[in-house]
Amino acid sequence: MAVKLVTDSTVSLTKEEQEKYDISKVTLFIVSEGVSTPEVEMDYFEYYERLRDLDNLPTTSQPTTASFIEAFTTALDKGDDVLAVLVSAGLSGTVEGAETARAHIESQRPDAVGRIAIVNSQSNGMGLYYPLMEAAKLAKDGADLETCRQRAEFVTSCTRFLFAPTSLEHLRKGGRLGRASAMLGSALKMFPILGPDKWTGAVHVYAKVRTYPKALMTIKDKMLEDAEISGGLKALCVHYIAEKAEAENFLEKVVQPAVNIRASLEPIAPTVGTHVGPAVGIAYQMFNPVLKEDLQGMGLVGGAASKARERIQEIRSNVSGKMDELGRPGK
């Protein structure tokens, strides 16, 4: 019995990888002027160019429950178990839709009970890609559903995604930021550093700084701090929304000289970028779980940091045996 991987269209996954690991992808949608367009059919670059000139932002829609039912039952009918690794539940209702589909299938098919696992990646883009692909590689090597699920959950705890919008306008238009906060931030030329938090997966404001270059440097420094605390850097991607030239410069002059692994460069999917607007950031994976952030700002300090580091050591002890059996490099 094989394990079939299912994911969604917010992931940064090439067609070659999707075919090689036989990964099914359900799509989110962009809704503009009454027309709903599947994200999997969109040209990212053309969309972001058009988005710059729109006064009213498009809306976004999660995958249909029917699309999950189809993906899950197709795999089950072939005798496979199913592992769905999906965009953060704090950013989208996608996980909820998958859970609804699973409950429906299990109510109709007793043979399906216990054969569909769902992992909330607490991220998107490459933050979703990392746990998805590690699970997919295990599945391809014949691992069972529980082994693949454990790996995806573990890798999720080892990732972080931070980004800095070049403007607050999209966040304001999309209702993610109040008008007063947006006006104040613009007047003071403050740039927020954002990302899905490690508690709920919802967008969290890690810090606010005075200049955009300083925002990018702060993101880089946080990555290096995580690397020092969490066993080293395993994978890294510079992400961007519409700002490819800025992202290339950040990668070449700031990020790559600071690390000893090769970083990739990837655009963010339109259903995420619509709500953020032009932005640059980084998604990365550590060998061990990253520290959960202080809800008041960037990282943990003082006694909170000490307690968090103790917790990291506890997590490492609990998972080290299982993960070493799965092939994780010891750190």
Side-chain angles (χ1 to χ4, degrees), residues 123-160:
S123 193
N124 60 85
M126 292 299 283
L128 168 53
Y129 171 92
Y130 297 138
L132 171 72
M133 286 304 298
E134 292 219 13
K137 290 173 182 177
L138 284 177
K140 190 173 179 63
D141 289 340
D144 63 17
L145 178 61
E146 181 59 15
T147 299
C148 294
R149 186 199 64 78
Q150 286 183 9
R151 173 56 72 90
E153 293 279 10
F154 179 78
V155 175
T156 289
S157 74
C158 298
T159 66
R160 201 187 302 278

Side-chain angles (χ1 to χ4, degrees), residues 300-312:
L300 296 168
V301 296
S306 177
K307 291 181 180 179
R309 285 166 175 76
E310 290 176 6
R311 175 58 180 153
I312 286 294

Side-chain angles (χ1 to χ4, degrees), residues 10 86-92 120-128 156-164 193-206 222 226 239 268 272 276 281-284 290-295 297-298:
T10 68
L86 305 169
V87 62
S88 173
L91 302 176
S92 167
N120 172 8
S121 73
Q122 294 191 327
S123 193
N124 60 85
M126 292 299 283
L128 168 53
T156 289
S157 74
C158 298
T159 66
R160 201 187 302 278
F161 178 22
L162 301 171
F163 59 92
I193 296 167
L194 308 172
D197 69 38
K198 301 306 292 183
W199 296 97
T200 67
V203 173
H204 174 68
V205 180
Y206 286 82
K222 178 60 179 174
D226 278 339
H239 267 315
I268 284 290
V272 177
V276 177
I282 49 177
Y284 50 93
V290 298
L291 293 176
K292 289 185 176 181
E293 54 281 314
D294 185 335
L295 294 180
M298 182 73 115

Side-chain angles (χ1 to χ4, degrees), residues 27-90:
T27 188
L28 283 76
F29 299 87
I30 293 288
V31 183
S32 180
E33 298 180 346
V35 178
S36 182
T37 304
E39 187 170 46
V40 293
E41 298 177 4
M42 298 183 71
D43 181 315
Y44 289 14
F45 302 100
E46 183 277 331
Y47 175 72
Y48 285 130
E49 283 299 314
R50 182 164 54 87
L51 192 63
R52 292 177 185 272
D53 300 324
L54 295 179
D55 292 328
N56 297 314
L57 290 181
T59 58
T60 59
S61 178
Q62 69 195 55
T64 64
T65 299
S67 67
F68 278 118
I69 291 175
E70 179 181 2
F72 294 169
T73 55
T74 297
L76 293 170
D77 288 344
K78 292 180 179 178
D80 296 337
D81 290 340
V82 180
L83 176 61
V85 186
L86 305 169
V87 62
S88 173

